Amino acid sequence: MPGFYLPSENEFDPSTDDFVLPAISKERKYKHFDLPLVDRELSFDFSVEDKPHRFLPLLGFTDVNRRYVRNKDGAREVKVKERPIRFASHEDAAYLQAYAGHLNRMYERALWRDGTSDSVLAYRRGGGTNIHHAKALFDEIKSRGDCTVFAMDISGFFDCLDHTLLRDEIADLIGETRLEGHHASVWKNVTRYSWVETEDLDKLLGRKRNGHGRICSPSDFSDHVRGRKDGLIRKHDQTFGIPQGTPVSGLYANIYLRTFDREMIAWCSRAGGSYRRYSDDIAVTLPLGAKVHHVVAVVEKMLADFCLSMSIDKTDTADFKDGLLASATPIQYLGFTFDGQKTKIRPSSLDAYRGKMRRGIHAKMIAAKAKNVPSFEVFKRESLARYTHLGKRRNFLRYAYKAADIMGCPEIKDQVSRHVTWFNRAWEREAIRVFGGLVTTT
């Protein structure tokens, strides 16, 4: 979707920007059914119950993420993960953003009352990135010396949140028995949302439609999108699932698991261990010798009470003795591996980076060839900025360097020290594939 970017789960920390936002709206440059909030800010007063906010349909597309995994033999395999993204119009996003700020203040106070603030890590301001939280776990392992660590993943997190349980958790948070006013309006429109797929717009109106700053013109929206007979609006009529991509989604997900977090902390504390959750990634640290099957069964049962399940194939465990790895494989957590001595970016993330680089270079050359641009006029500059240390904006290399600095782990920089070679090889390979020869410009 032009102008709309979500970092892949293998690249960057997803805990900021799109989920945790200030109470005053920011300018968003993607196209939607309304115009961007250029040079104007919208503010909302949630202390009064004025007329309900009227929502436009969300826009939707499918984010396709290719994950590179290693099988038991060490061979690389590609798994395609499709993530449905739904994002709000500009004014709706401003409203949801301001509401999230209003509700988040209550949630933060509740975390301190519950004693869970140090265990709930994602979608919160000021708590650090996934790099900081991975380091915190690895530092705890060193401090404990002897321990067994479990890294677990909730399956289909946002897609499985039960609407009734979510409503009850929100009501409990605000100290009410039912949701009314702004709380009811947001809950209703986030759980029973409507949306339009950008693919449907492309098929009906063409990809080159002129909406004068919008995704389509107001007349096209009235006649075709919201048409009475053959409109494009789809409705989510399930009793579970909320959209990923709205400013309140991450906060809602945290509120949903507020009781679960308290129960997990209490259980781990009784067992002499610790608990932390980063969105759908759970890490449990227990005294050495904890029974794997028992721990997994306990967490599965607790998740089932909240209509959630665990991704068994993603469960990872490791034993440490005197702070050093005492089992066959290191622990993996939030994109990093740790063996008691070295912290590294997991191999699948490096594979994903190289694969994304190849696909990006290939797409650039295909586009150039389609426009009859000769091979010697295809410049590397933009691709170098996107995939190497020469880029000024955030990219995988800057993320790796940042991780190495924060964690104090030069081995991470060693992992990506050959990235320019990887780039040049990918460039030469795709040049041969597309043009039948080398593209040597810079």
Side-chain angles (χ1 to χ4, degrees), residues 206-226:
R207 294 181 62 89
K208 295 183 179 181
R209 57 190 177 274
N210 185 2
H212 300 288
R214 297 177 171 89
I215 193 88
C216 68
S217 66
S219 60
D220 282 338
F221 177 81
S222 177
D223 295 340
H224 300 292
V225 176
R226 191 162 268 172

Side-chain angles (χ1 to χ4, degrees), residues 109-350:
R109 289 195 294 268
L111 288 183
W112 286 108
R113 290 197 306 271
D114 297 343
T116 58
S117 184
D118 292 337
S119 297
V120 181
L121 309 176
Y123 313 129
R124 299 176 61 197
R125 279 200 173 276
T129 67
N130 63 318
I131 300 171
H132 296 89
H133 298 309
K135 182 179 185 300
L137 174 63
F138 303 154
D139 286 346
E140 181 184 344
I141 294 171
K142 295 176 185 177
S143 176
R144 282 179 174 266
D146 297 348
C147 59
T148 299
V149 185
F150 300 79
M152 295 166 274
D153 184 89
I154 301 174
S155 178
F157 188 27
F158 287 87
D159 297 334
C160 297
L161 301 187
D162 182 85
H163 295 167
T164 302
L165 290 179
L166 175 61
R167 180 199 64 195
D168 293 345
E169 286 287 353
I170 297 170
D172 180 69
L173 175 68
I174 64 177
E176 301 290 345
T177 57
R178 56 180 296 174
L179 300 184
E180 297 179 339
H182 300 290
H183 298 294
S185 178
V186 173
W187 174 80
K188 177 180 177 180
N189 282 279
V190 172
T191 56
R192 287 176 277 176
Y193 60 90
S194 61
W195 85 97
V196 176
E197 287 287 338
T198 54
E199 281 190 359
D200 293 344
L201 282 170
D202 293 341
K203 291 176 182 177
L204 182 65
L205 303 176
R207 294 181 62 89
K208 295 183 179 181
R209 57 190 177 274
N210 185 2
H212 300 288
R214 297 177 171 89
I215 193 88
C216 68
S217 66
S219 60
D220 282 338
F221 177 81
S222 177
D223 295 340
H224 300 292
V225 176
R226 191 162 268 172
R228 292 185 177 180
K229 293 184 178 180
D230 300 313
L232 301 180
I233 297 178
R234 307 185 189 192
K235 294 188 177 181
H236 180 75
D237 55 5
Q238 303 291 328
T239 59
F240 54 87
I242 66 173
Q244 296 187 52
T246 78
V248 77
S249 297
L251 177 59
Y252 262 14
N254 271 347
I255 293 172
Y256 184 89
L257 287 183
R258 182 182 167 210
T259 301
F260 171 82
D261 292 331
R262 292 200 301 262
E263 292 177 355
M264 280 297 303
I265 290 171
W267 181 81
C268 289
S269 179
R270 290 193 298 270
S274 67
Y275 161 84
R276 44 174 55 82
R277 179 179 61 81
Y278 188 94
S279 186
D280 56 356
D281 288 300
I282 295 172
V284 172
T285 306
L286 296 172
L288 183 63
K291 301 298 183 182
V292 173
H293 296 300
H294 172 69
V295 173
V296 171
V298 168
V299 178
E300 280 188 308
K301 171 61 172 62
M302 289 187 177
L303 284 173
D305 291 340
F306 294 86
C307 303
L308 297 172
S309 60
M310 186 189 303
S311 296
I312 299 298
D313 60 330
K314 293 183 180 180
T315 298
D316 196 37
T317 65
D319 293 330
F320 292 85
K321 190 172 182 59
D322 295 327
L324 301 178
L325 185 67
S327 51
T329 57
I331 193 68
Q332 294 192 51
Y333 183 60
L334 300 184
F336 298 93
T337 65
F338 179 68
D339 65 0
Q341 293 179 305
K342 293 184 177 181
T343 300
K344 293 184 177 181
I345 294 174
R346 64 183 182 183
S348 60
S349 295
L350 294 174

Side-chain angles (χ1 to χ4, degrees), residues 398-442:
R398 291 196 170 275
Y399 170 78
Y401 291 161
K402 180 180 180 181
D405 292 340
I406 291 174
M407 293 183 163
C409 298
E411 57 267 26
I412 293 177
K413 290 185 179 179
D414 292 340
Q415 285 184 283
V416 296
S417 62
R418 298 178 62 244
H419 71 276
V420 175
T421 300
W422 298 338
F423 177 89
N424 289 331
R425 287 179 179 174
W427 186 271
E428 293 172 4
R429 189 183 301 114
E430 295 306 325
I432 292 172
R433 287 182 61 189
V434 177
F435 288 98
L438 296 182
V439 181
T440 58
T441 53
T442 58

Side-chain angles (χ1 to χ4, degrees), residues 15-29:
S15 70
T16 59
D17 292 340
D18 291 305
F19 293 112
V20 184
L21 300 165
I24 300 298
S25 66
K26 67 176 182 179
E27 180 184 348
R28 299 157 187 261
K29 296 182 179 179

Side-chain angles (χ1 to χ4, degrees), residues 364 368 372-380 427 439-441:
K364 180 180 181 67
N372 295 317
V373 176
S375 61
F376 59 84
E377 290 186 7
V378 182
F379 295 100
K380 286 185 178 180
W427 186 271
V439 181
T440 58
T441 53

